[in-house]
Amino acid sequence: MQIETVITGTTRVYGIIGFPVAHSLSPVMQNAAMQSADIDGVYVPFAVPPSQLSVAVAGLRSLQLCGFNVTIPHKIAIMPFLDELTPGAVLAGAVNTVANQNGRLIGYNTDGDGLIISLQSDLDCTLSGLRVVLIGAGGAARGALAALCRAHVQSVAVINRTRVIAETLIDSFSSEFPGVALHAYAFEGYDTKLLSCVDLVVNATSLGMSGEKIEGLPLAHLPGHAKVYDMVYNPPVTPLQAEAQRLGLKVANGLGMLVAQGEQAFSLWHGVPSGAGVMRAALEPYLTR
Ligand code: NAP
């Protein structure tokens, strides 16, 4: 969609901070949705090196940006610079959306909700009672674990390259969610038989973005009803997804999560939902290049 925003003295400014940020598709989604809703606003990318984060947040505050998204590597580091964090952001330990409410910067995490919405709509998942394997233990995995626990899954086995990072993640959630069985493993040395009792696999690593396979995850051990969700959405089919498809498993990529977290941010900033399908449609040309 061609953006034809006319910028005037009353145009409200939104944006995204990250480093790098050039790859982000959020400007495409958010500008298309504002234009479709006839909102006088513009959304721009800001490349902020880690050493400049506090200065940049002070600048965004003084320039009275109405809201902004936060992406790698600032999702955790930004938290001390905000005025308030929602309980969901505290639990996830990360912020991906900031709203400026009368000069106060409020930090939200819409990634977890985005994942849940996408699991429900793209994979027909009823999360309560599910046995989940979560691959990865970084920022995205943390948000995913918080959201999955809140959705009352039965168990989550976190499998990560670095076991101690997975253990730290599990430790911080165990007391908060005593009703969910949480376990941490490294790829090396875990008993792959555990996969035979799994309903859902979620990839929350960056593996697949450059065509990498996830070594140490033999999908053939999964039961036939298991579903596979890959947070990676570009390329639209990763080796993980291709293997799951080959085995006849139900699969979705992370596009639905990207769109859902963006739609949540839009609602927070503008007080109205974005037009149905507008963000997803705006992304199409950018995913097939
Ligand atoms: P992150 O904090 O840097 O975490 C990266 C994770 O990937 C860690 O668990 C890391 O393991 C693992 N990893 C990295 N390289 C690896 C390798 N070569 N072999 C094995 N494991 C490796 O990143 P993040 O913010 O969590 O993001 C993770 C992915 O989720 C990215 O692809 C991001 O684009 C995607 N994401 C998608 C959405 C969406 O809307 N679809 C939203 C958020 C994130 P170690 O702990 O051992 O380092």
Side-chain angles (χ1 to χ4, degrees):
M1 180 190 294
Q2 188 65 41
I3 302 298
E4 294 168 359
T5 303
V6 176
I7 297 176
T8 69
T10 60
T11 301
R12 295 196 297 270
V13 182
Y14 301 82
I16 178 165
I17 61 170
F19 197 77
V21 78
H23 66 284
S24 174
L25 295 174
S26 291
V28 171
M29 296 194 306
Q30 296 292 345
N31 282 311
M34 282 193 286
Q35 189 182 37
S36 160
D38 214 11
I39 289 170
D40 180 15
V42 65
Y43 182 106
V44 287
F46 298 104
V48 176
S51 63
Q52 297 297 304
L53 180 61
S54 66
V55 182
V57 174
L60 298 176
R61 186 193 287 279
S62 64
L63 292 170
Q64 298 179 38
L65 239 73
C66 298
F68 57 96
N69 284 124
V70 185
T71 189
I72 295 173
H74 302 314
K75 287 185 180 185
I76 298 168
I78 196 171
M79 296 174 81
F81 304 121
L82 303 176
D83 299 311
E84 192 178 322
L85 300 169
T86 60
V90 173
L91 189 59
V95 163
N96 77 323
T97 301
V98 176
N100 185 338
Q101 292 176 3
N102 303 317
R104 286 177 60 74
L105 298 183
I106 319 290
Y108 297 81
N109 188 308
T110 68
D111 277 338
D113 288 345
L115 172 66
I116 299 300
I117 291 168
S118 184
L119 286 171
Q120 290 166 336
S121 60
D122 297 327
L123 281 183
D124 288 327
C125 278
T126 303
L127 289 157
S128 178
L130 284 197
R131 299 159 298 176
V132 182
V133 160
L134 178 60
I135 307 298
R142 194 178 175 91
L145 185 58
L148 290 166
C149 288
R150 288 165 76 166
H152 306 293
V153 297
Q154 181 185 125
S155 62
V156 184
V158 177
I159 305 178
N160 194 42
R161 176 175 59 181
T162 312
R163 181 174 174 157
V164 67
I165 298 178
E167 285 171 347
T168 306
L169 178 63
I170 290 299
D171 286 348
S172 61
F173 277 78
S174 293
S175 56
E176 192 80 31
F177 295 100
V180 183
L182 299 172
H183 300 283
Y185 302 98
F187 283 112
E188 281 176 23
Y190 81 96
D191 186 351
T192 53
K193 283 191 197 128
L194 84 81
L195 296 173
S196 64
C197 304
V198 164
D199 306 304
L200 172 68
V201 174
V202 177
N203 175 35
T205 72
S206 46
L207 292 171
M209 290 177 81
S210 304
E212 313 94 324
K213 281 184 70 177
I214 303 183
E215 304 294 347
L217 184 69
L219 296 185
H221 291 217
L222 292 169
H225 74 272
K227 299 174 181 180
V228 175
Y229 191 88
D230 194 344
M231 286 196 196
V232 176
Y233 52 84
N234 214 1
V237 182
T238 61
L240 172 73
Q241 295 163 46
E243 188 189 353
Q245 281 169 351
R246 190 175 54 76
L247 291 165
L249 304 175
K250 201 162 180 184
V251 182
N253 70 20
L255 185 61
M257 176 177 172
L258 176 74
V259 169
Q261 64 78 29
E263 289 175 342
Q264 298 262 306
F266 186 98
S267 299
L268 285 168
W269 292 330
H270 305 297
V272 291
S274 62
V278 173
M279 289 195 185
R280 191 179 278 255
L283 291 176
E284 292 294 335
Y286 294 86
L287 296 172
T288 50
R289 278 180 184 170

